[in-house]
mmCIF file of all heavy atoms in Angstrom:
data_model
loop_
_atom_site.group_PDB
_atom_site.id
_atom_site.type_symbol
_atom_site.label_atom_id
_atom_site.label_comp_id
_atom_site.label_asym_id
_atom_site.label_seq_id
_atom_site.Cartn_x
_atom_site.Cartn_y
_atom_site.Cartn_z
ATOM 1 N N VAL A 486 20.108 5.585 -3.300
ATOM 2 C CA VAL A 486 18.764 5.098 -3.009
ATOM 3 C C VAL A 486 18.795 4.744 -1.528
ATOM 4 O O VAL A 486 19.152 3.643 -1.141
ATOM 5 C CB VAL A 486 18.389 3.874 -3.866
ATOM 6 C CG1 VAL A 486 16.992 3.382 -3.507
ATOM 7 C CG2 VAL A 486 18.485 4.201 -5.343
ATOM 8 N N PRO A 487 18.486 5.727 -0.679
ATOM 9 C CA PRO A 487 18.670 5.542 0.762
ATOM 10 C C PRO A 487 17.612 4.657 1.407
ATOM 11 O O PRO A 487 16.495 4.535 0.912
ATOM 12 C CB PRO A 487 18.575 6.968 1.303
ATOM 13 C CG PRO A 487 17.682 7.658 0.336
ATOM 14 C CD PRO A 487 17.967 7.028 -1.018
ATOM 15 N N SER A 488 17.998 4.075 2.529
ATOM 16 C CA SER A 488 17.072 3.232 3.281
ATOM 17 C C SER A 488 16.247 4.085 4.237
ATOM 18 O O SER A 488 16.495 5.282 4.393
ATOM 19 C CB SER A 488 17.859 2.173 4.050
ATOM 20 O OG SER A 488 18.777 2.805 4.919
ATOM 21 N N GLU A 489 15.289 3.453 4.881
ATOM 22 C CA GLU A 489 14.428 4.139 5.846
ATOM 23 C C GLU A 489 15.274 4.754 6.967
ATOM 24 O O GLU A 489 16.328 4.232 7.301
ATOM 25 C CB GLU A 489 13.433 3.155 6.466
ATOM 26 C CG GLU A 489 12.286 2.811 5.559
ATOM 27 C CD GLU A 489 11.357 3.985 5.307
ATOM 28 O OE1 GLU A 489 11.134 4.817 6.201
ATOM 29 O OE2 GLU A 489 10.842 4.063 4.184
ATOM 30 N N ILE A 490 14.784 5.823 7.555
ATOM 31 C CA ILE A 490 15.523 6.461 8.640
ATOM 32 C C ILE A 490 14.899 6.187 10.001
ATOM 33 O O ILE A 490 15.444 6.582 11.010
ATOM 34 C CB ILE A 490 15.689 7.983 8.421
ATOM 35 C CG1 ILE A 490 14.346 8.701 8.339
ATOM 36 C CG2 ILE A 490 16.528 8.245 7.204
ATOM 37 C CD1 ILE A 490 14.442 10.208 8.265
ATOM 38 N N GLY A 491 13.774 5.522 10.033
ATOM 39 C CA GLY A 491 13.142 5.225 11.315
ATOM 40 C C GLY A 491 12.506 6.455 11.936
ATOM 41 O O GLY A 491 11.917 7.277 11.238
ATOM 42 N N LYS A 492 12.685 6.605 13.232
ATOM 43 C CA LYS A 492 12.096 7.738 13.944
ATOM 44 C C LYS A 492 12.704 9.037 13.423
ATOM 45 O O LYS A 492 13.908 9.168 13.301
ATOM 46 C CB LYS A 492 12.348 7.599 15.443
ATOM 47 C CG LYS A 492 11.660 8.661 16.254
ATOM 48 C CD LYS A 492 11.859 8.461 17.738
ATOM 49 C CE LYS A 492 11.196 9.602 18.481
ATOM 50 N NZ LYS A 492 11.409 9.490 19.908
ATOM 51 N N ARG A 493 11.831 9.985 13.122
ATOM 52 C CA ARG A 493 12.300 11.255 12.567
ATOM 53 C C ARG A 493 11.842 12.420 13.421
ATOM 54 O O ARG A 493 10.821 12.347 14.091
ATOM 55 C CB ARG A 493 11.831 11.412 11.125
ATOM 56 C CG ARG A 493 10.334 11.425 10.957
ATOM 57 C CD ARG A 493 9.856 11.453 9.522
ATOM 58 N NE ARG A 493 10.273 10.405 8.643
ATOM 59 C CZ ARG A 493 9.729 9.187 8.576
ATOM 60 N NH1 ARG A 493 8.752 8.877 9.372
ATOM 61 N NH2 ARG A 493 10.164 8.313 7.711
ATOM 62 N N LYS A 494 12.609 13.471 13.345
ATOM 63 C CA LYS A 494 12.280 14.729 14.008
ATOM 64 C C LYS A 494 11.751 15.673 12.930
ATOM 65 O O LYS A 494 12.429 15.932 11.945
ATOM 66 C CB LYS A 494 13.534 15.311 14.659
ATOM 67 C CG LYS A 494 13.302 16.618 15.355
ATOM 68 C CD LYS A 494 14.573 17.111 16.017
ATOM 69 C CE LYS A 494 14.332 18.445 16.686
ATOM 70 N NZ LYS A 494 15.565 18.952 17.285
ATOM 71 N N THR A 495 10.531 16.163 13.106
ATOM 72 C CA THR A 495 9.925 17.052 12.121
ATOM 73 C C THR A 495 10.648 18.394 12.112
ATOM 74 O O THR A 495 10.899 18.980 13.159
ATOM 75 C CB THR A 495 8.428 17.254 12.432
ATOM 76 O OG1 THR A 495 7.787 15.983 12.405
ATOM 77 C CG2 THR A 495 7.779 18.187 11.427
ATOM 78 N N LEU A 496 10.952 18.881 10.897
ATOM 79 C CA LEU A 496 11.675 20.144 10.761
ATOM 80 C C LEU A 496 10.947 21.189 9.926
ATOM 81 O O LEU A 496 10.908 22.353 10.289
ATOM 82 C CB LEU A 496 13.049 19.903 10.123
ATOM 83 C CG LEU A 496 14.033 19.075 10.904
ATOM 84 C CD1 LEU A 496 15.310 18.881 10.098
ATOM 85 C CD2 LEU A 496 14.348 19.735 12.226
ATOM 86 N N PHE A 497 10.422 20.789 8.772
ATOM 87 C CA PHE A 497 9.899 21.769 7.827
ATOM 88 C C PHE A 497 8.553 21.351 7.258
ATOM 89 O O PHE A 497 8.289 20.170 7.072
ATOM 90 C CB PHE A 497 10.869 21.940 6.636
ATOM 91 C CG PHE A 497 12.275 22.234 7.030
ATOM 92 C CD1 PHE A 497 13.273 21.300 6.831
ATOM 93 C CD2 PHE A 497 12.617 23.444 7.608
ATOM 94 C CE1 PHE A 497 14.576 21.555 7.194
ATOM 95 C CE2 PHE A 497 13.920 23.717 7.976
ATOM 96 C CZ PHE A 497 14.905 22.770 7.773
ATOM 97 N N ASN A 498 7.766 22.350 6.922
ATOM 98 C CA ASN A 498 6.544 22.150 6.168
ATOM 99 C C ASN A 498 6.943 21.948 4.709
ATOM 100 O O ASN A 498 7.852 22.618 4.212
ATOM 101 C CB ASN A 498 5.656 23.388 6.321
ATOM 102 C CG ASN A 498 4.375 23.270 5.576
ATOM 103 O OD1 ASN A 498 4.350 23.300 4.349
ATOM 104 N ND2 ASN A 498 3.291 23.139 6.308
ATOM 105 N N VAL A 499 6.295 21.045 4.024
ATOM 106 C CA VAL A 499 6.599 20.759 2.620
ATOM 107 C C VAL A 499 6.494 22.023 1.768
ATOM 108 O O VAL A 499 7.304 22.238 0.864
ATOM 109 C CB VAL A 499 5.674 19.638 2.095
ATOM 110 C CG1 VAL A 499 5.735 19.520 0.588
ATOM 111 C CG2 VAL A 499 6.034 18.312 2.750
ATOM 112 N N GLY A 500 5.525 22.875 2.058
ATOM 113 C CA GLY A 500 5.366 24.112 1.299
ATOM 114 C C GLY A 500 6.553 25.042 1.422
ATOM 115 O O GLY A 500 6.910 25.746 0.476
ATOM 116 N N SER A 501 7.210 25.047 2.581
ATOM 117 C CA SER A 501 8.411 25.862 2.780
ATOM 118 C C SER A 501 9.625 25.230 2.115
ATOM 119 O O SER A 501 10.473 25.922 1.562
ATOM 120 C CB SER A 501 8.703 26.028 4.268
ATOM 121 O OG SER A 501 7.649 26.681 4.911
ATOM 122 N N LEU A 502 9.706 23.916 2.188
ATOM 123 C CA LEU A 502 10.836 23.198 1.604
ATOM 124 C C LEU A 502 10.823 23.268 0.089
ATOM 125 O O LEU A 502 11.855 23.491 -0.535
ATOM 126 C CB LEU A 502 10.810 21.723 2.045
ATOM 127 C CG LEU A 502 11.820 20.806 1.350
ATOM 128 C CD1 LEU A 502 13.233 21.149 1.801
ATOM 129 C CD2 LEU A 502 11.477 19.360 1.603
ATOM 130 N N ASP A 503 9.668 23.094 -0.499
ATOM 131 C CA ASP A 503 9.572 22.895 -1.942
ATOM 132 C C ASP A 503 8.444 23.727 -2.547
ATOM 133 O O ASP A 503 7.500 23.186 -3.139
ATOM 134 C CB ASP A 503 9.335 21.391 -2.197
ATOM 135 C CG ASP A 503 9.528 20.976 -3.634
ATOM 136 O OD1 ASP A 503 10.172 21.716 -4.398
ATOM 137 O OD2 ASP A 503 9.032 19.887 -3.990
#
Side-chain angles (χ1 to χ4, degrees):
V486 179
S488 58
E489 283 292 325
I490 60 174
K492 185 177 177 183
R493 61 185 58 81
K494 179 178 179 182
T495 301
L496 295 177
F497 308 111
N498 180 290
V499 167
S501 299
L502 172 70
D503 193 19

